[in-house]
Amino acid sequence: MTALATESFREQLLGRRYEPNVAAVNELCDTLQSGKPDTVVPYVDPMHDVDECRIISLYSNIGTVDESGFITAGDDEAATRMLGVQWKLGLRPEFVMPWNVHPWHVPGEPNGKFTPDQISAGLKPLLKFLALVPRASVIVAHGTEANRLAGLLLKTEVPLLWRRGLKTYKVRSLSGRAFAGTPARQQQYLDEMHVVYADAMARTGLTKPVS
C-alpha cells in the first residue's frame, strides 16, 4: 500500500506540472528534452512559483535522475538537509526554486563528473530559466559544478544580470564526498549554508515568519 500511495502521489505531482505557477519553467524543461530526445530533463515541483521566486538553488546534479521526475537536491539525505535549512529559516517553497547545472540526464545512467563542455552547455538553459523567474536575484550554487557555471554566468555580462543586481553564493554540495566528515563537521557545513540562505533572504527582502 505504501508503494502504491507513493506512486499515486508522484503521479499527482506530475499531473500538476503545468499549473500556472510552474508551467513556463516546465515547458522549458520539455523543450530542452525535445532537443536531446534520448535524455530526461526533470521538472520543477509545482510547490514552487515562477512569479514569487527570489532565490535559485543551483544543484550540481551528479548521479542518477530522481525517480520522482522532479529536480532534487540529490539523494534522500541531501533533500532532508536542504529541507532542514529552509524550515529553520522559514524559507517557503514559493520563494525558492531549484535548477540543475546540466539539465539533461540519460535514463538509467548516473551523471559522472561533468566536463567543462557539459557545464558550459548548461549556460543557455540557465539564462532561459532566469528569464522566466523575473524576481529572482540570488543564485546559491551547490557544489563544484554549480560554482563553475555560476562563474560562467557572471562573465556573460547579459543585461538581465546587472538589471537585477544578481548575486551568487558558493556553497558545498549537499551529498557525497562534499558532506563527508564527523557529525560536528557536517553540522558546521549546515550552519554555513544556513548563513548563506539567511543572507540571501535578507538581500531579497524575505523575512522569517513570526512563530
Side-chain angles (χ1 to χ4, degrees):
M1 291 296 291
T2 302
L4 289 173
T6 301
E7 188 62 31
S8 176
F9 179 66
R10 287 174 184 152
E11 289 175 356
Q12 288 175 28
L13 284 181
L14 284 170
R16 294 173 51 210
R17 68 188 182 277
Y18 299 122
E19 289 184 351
N21 55 298
V22 287
V25 71
N26 284 333
E27 286 165 1
L28 170 61
C29 293
D30 286 337
T31 300
L32 293 172
Q33 182 171 320
S34 65
K36 296 186 178 184
D38 295 331
T39 68
V40 171
V41 177
Y43 293 110
V44 170
D45 191 296
M47 66 181 170
H48 301 290
D49 192 302
V50 292
D51 293 324
E52 294 296 334
C53 174
R54 313 292 209 282
I55 300 167
I56 295 164
S57 294
L58 184 62
Y59 296 127
S60 298
N61 53 313
I62 301 300
T64 54
V65 63
D66 191 84
E67 59 185 22
S68 69
F70 292 98
I71 297 172
T72 67
D75 58 21
D76 288 345
E77 287 188 353
T80 299
R81 288 167 182 145
M82 189 72 263
L83 286 172
V85 170
Q86 293 173 349
W87 179 79
K88 286 183 179 179
L89 287 168
L91 177 55
R92 301 204 308 267
E94 63 264 35
F95 296 131
V96 62
M97 192 172 288
W99 191 249
N100 282 334
V101 167
H102 190 74
W104 306 273
H105 284 266
V106 176
E109 295 183 15
N111 284 333
K113 184 178 180 181
F114 290 130
T115 66
D117 285 346
Q118 286 177 309
I119 294 172
S120 297
L123 182 57
K124 283 186 179 178
L126 177 58
L127 284 166
K128 289 178 180 178
F129 171 70
L130 282 169
L132 298 175
V133 283
R135 301 179 75 179
S137 60
V138 167
I139 294 177
V140 180
H142 288 265
T144 302
E145 291 78 13
N147 292 342
R148 288 176 180 163
L149 182 56
L152 290 176
L153 177 69
L154 294 178
K155 291 177 182 177
T156 62
E157 298 183 357
V158 174
L160 173 150
L161 305 183
W162 56 258
R163 279 202 304 266
R164 295 193 200 176
L166 188 81
K167 181 175 176 60
T168 63
Y169 296 84
K170 297 180 179 181
V171 296
R172 65 182 57 243
S173 178
L174 285 146
S175 59
R177 234 180 257 178
F179 237 84
T182 64
R185 180 61 60 86
Q186 291 184 1
Q187 186 58 51
Q188 177 188 333
Y189 299 156
L190 287 173
D191 291 344
E192 291 168 355
M193 212 167 287
H194 187 281
V195 169
V196 164
Y197 274 95
D199 194 66
M201 289 176 67
R203 182 180 177 83
T204 55
L206 298 175
T207 55
K208 183 175 181 178
V210 177
S211 55

